[in-house]
């Protein structure tokens, strides 16, 4: 074949693959979920397995999930995972104690050799942010910052439709901006007073324990259950009218607002999108008021905080969309 014909054939191949679905996988601390995605939409039933313990078992679990979709023709596999990911090599180059032993995993190389499919690996919040920034109404924005509130706090910064990765892939690790100065709360990353140590699920439980110290059972039934507190028990008590629980939830909103205020002054985004398991418990009006109260007027005037449009599917959709966009060289 002549060189010109070879180039043409490659273009046609790329175009054909870009119309195929890609498999998106969201690797979380408790479960791994996967579904096929085309044009920013999930097009199959999703499949899930509990996250196994240890690096090798997690990789076996990922391969098992890919094999469940072997009947579909796939352009490739996108994996969204917590941790700092080199988007070129697909290596996990940093990880907090939330995923012990994950750093150093050559995830792309291992998965490509085991599945014989192109694989793209991305930080979970980056993947979620990439998907959220593509939904109607946000595509044309200059700066969309997605914040995931869950086990940790993650961030995805999309500038003019492209994910901003920083000099060493760690842009958007917003969970580790410092929001206090007392060296009071140790974060799972080893630093003190990170946003994540206050605004994540783990942070909320610690806030509850702090505020419940010295509180009697008559004031709130939560007082005698501090060892078995969960985020759900705190939100349930708050919804039931428990005044102490409401105070804890309000304090958590303040903590969440502190990180947003800092990000707002650095990035002046068009919009914050809040996603992750805890986002359904956010009172958006209260949060927006708290953020605006602590912003310079020019920054506060343009603050918009939205609930996620894609909910729990954002990581899967974003990871898969990366595979397609890589084929088209759209995010380079
Ligand atoms: C942590 C960090 C981020 C991640 C964020 C949200 C690790 C293992 N995790 O800050 O990379 O994006 O948590 O993670 O280093 P999640 O577990 O709450 O989804
Ligand atoms: Zn930290």
């Amino acid at each position: 074949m002549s060189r010109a014909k070879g180039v043409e054939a490659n273009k046609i191949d790329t175009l054909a693959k870009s119309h195929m679905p890609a498999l998106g996988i969201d690797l979380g601390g408790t479960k791994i979920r996967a579904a096929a995605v085309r044009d920013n939409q999930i097009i199959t039933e999703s499949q899930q397995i509990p996250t196994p313990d240890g690096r090798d078992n997690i990789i076996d679990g990922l391969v098992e999930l890919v094999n469940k979709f072997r009947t579909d023709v796939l352009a490739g596999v996108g994996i969204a995972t917590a941790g700092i990911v080199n988007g070129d090599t697909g290596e996990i180059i940093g990880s907090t104690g939330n995923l012990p032993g994950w750093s150093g995993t050559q995830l792309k190389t291992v998965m490509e050799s085991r599945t014989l499919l192109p694989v793209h690996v991305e930080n979970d919040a980056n993947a979620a942010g990439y998907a959220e920034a593509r939904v109607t109404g946000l595509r044309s924005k200059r700066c969309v910052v997605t914040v995931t509130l869950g086990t940790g706090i993650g961030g995805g910064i999309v500038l003019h439709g492209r994910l901003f990765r920083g000099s060493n892939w760690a842009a958007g690790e917003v969970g580790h901006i410092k929001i206090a100065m007392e060296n009071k709360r140790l974060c799972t990353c080893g630093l003190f007073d990170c946003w994540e140590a206050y605004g994540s699920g783990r942070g909320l439980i610690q806030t509850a324990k702090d505020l419940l110290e010295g509180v009697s059972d008559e004031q709130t039934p939560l007082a005698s259950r501090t060892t078995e507190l969960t985020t759900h028990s705190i939100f349930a008590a708050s919804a039931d009218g428990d005044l102490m629980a409401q105070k804890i939830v309000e304090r958590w909103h303040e903590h969440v607002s502190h990180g947003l205020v800092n990000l707002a002054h650095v990035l002046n985004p068009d919009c914050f999108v809040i996603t992750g398991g805890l986002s359904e418990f956010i009172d958006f009006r209260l949060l927006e008021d708290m953020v605006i109260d602590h912003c310079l007027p020019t920054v506060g005037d343009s603050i918009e905080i939205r609930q996620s449009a894609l909910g729990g599917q954002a990581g899967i959709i974003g990871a898969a969309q990366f595979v397609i966009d890589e084929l088209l060289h759209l995010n380079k």
Side-chain angles (χ1 to χ4, degrees):
M1 199 190 307
S2 71
R3 193 165 175 278
K5 276 193 179 158
V7 171
E8 202 49 39
N10 272 346
K11 269 196 203 156
I12 293 168
D13 188 41
T14 303
L15 203 62
K17 282 189 184 148
S18 71
H19 291 295
M20 287 179 190
L23 186 64
I25 303 183
D26 194 347
L27 166 55
T30 49
K31 54 185 187 265
I32 310 178
R33 289 176 306 127
V37 173
R38 184 166 44 211
D39 296 331
N40 289 317
Q41 277 176 355
I42 291 189
I43 56 162
T44 59
E45 288 277 301
S46 66
Q47 300 270 356
Q48 73 174 57
I49 56 168
T51 308
D53 280 336
R55 184 191 286 187
D56 293 346
N57 296 331
I58 292 177
I59 290 168
D60 286 346
L62 291 169
V63 174
E64 182 191 319
L65 272 174
V66 175
N67 287 338
K68 291 191 180 178
F69 289 86
R70 284 287 181 187
T71 46
D72 301 289
V73 183
L74 296 170
V77 178
I79 303 172
T81 169
I84 302 169
V85 181
N86 179 321
D88 284 338
T89 63
E91 182 191 354
I92 314 297
I93 58 171
S95 171
T96 65
N98 289 354
L99 270 183
W102 196 228
S103 189
T105 307
Q106 299 282 353
L107 194 53
K108 175 182 165 75
T109 312
V110 175
M111 287 301 291
E112 286 188 341
S113 74
R114 296 220 14 210
T115 63
L116 302 178
L117 285 166
V119 173
H120 180 85
V121 185
E122 194 58 59
N123 167 268
D124 56 356
N126 279 353
Y130 194 60
E132 294 285 356
R134 295 170 69 100
V135 303
T136 320
L138 291 184
R139 271 171 196 248
S140 57
K141 301 287 186 195
R142 276 185 272 209
C143 176
V144 177
V145 179
T146 298
V147 173
T148 65
L149 300 176
T151 317
I153 295 186
I157 301 164
V158 175
L159 304 175
H160 300 279
R162 286 180 179 200
L163 190 64
F164 178 64
R165 292 196 161 101
S167 66
N168 193 28
W169 307 100
E173 281 292 324
V174 299
H176 309 282
I177 56 179
K178 203 172 171 73
I179 65 156
M181 295 294 284
E182 300 103 27
N183 283 357
K184 219 163 142 192
R185 288 210 193 162
L186 184 61
C187 179
T188 58
C189 73
L191 298 169
F192 276 100
D193 293 341
C194 295
W195 188 20
E196 181 169 310
Y198 294 82
S200 67
R202 199 190 290 257
L204 167 65
I205 291 169
Q206 189 55 50
T207 300
K209 285 182 179 164
D210 290 355
L211 292 180
L212 288 169
E213 218 163 280
V215 170
S216 73
D217 225 11
E218 281 109 59
Q219 287 166 280
T220 169
L222 292 177
S224 58
R225 303 204 320 253
T226 50
T227 48
E228 64 216 52
L229 280 177
T230 63
T231 52
H232 279 85
S233 65
I234 297 165
F235 290 125
S238 169
D240 278 354
D242 180 322
L243 293 179
M244 195 63 213
Q246 286 172 357
K247 195 176 153 96
I248 294 165
V249 171
E250 190 182 331
R251 188 84 185 105
W252 172 66
H253 277 71
E254 273 171 36
H255 287 149
V256 173
S257 79
H258 290 335
L260 295 178
V261 166
N262 292 342
L263 292 175
H265 287 91
V266 177
L267 292 164
N268 186 211
D270 295 276
C271 179
F272 285 110
V273 178
I274 311 292
T275 180
L278 297 192
S279 59
E280 63 177 290
F281 302 105
I282 288 282
D283 175 337
F284 280 82
R285 178 166 291 182
L286 175 66
L287 184 64
E288 204 164 279
D289 286 348
M290 284 175 169
V291 173
I292 291 170
D293 264 359
H294 292 93
C295 278
L296 289 176
T298 320
V299 175
D301 279 353
S302 57
I303 291 285
E304 189 194 340
I305 306 176
R306 291 194 189 188
Q307 188 154 22
S308 153
L310 302 171
Q313 300 184 330
I316 291 180
I317 295 175
Q321 199 56 46
F322 266 111
V323 176
I324 307 291
D325 291 355
E326 291 254 303
L327 281 170
L328 299 174
H329 307 288
L330 284 181
N331 198 49
K332 290 283 174 202

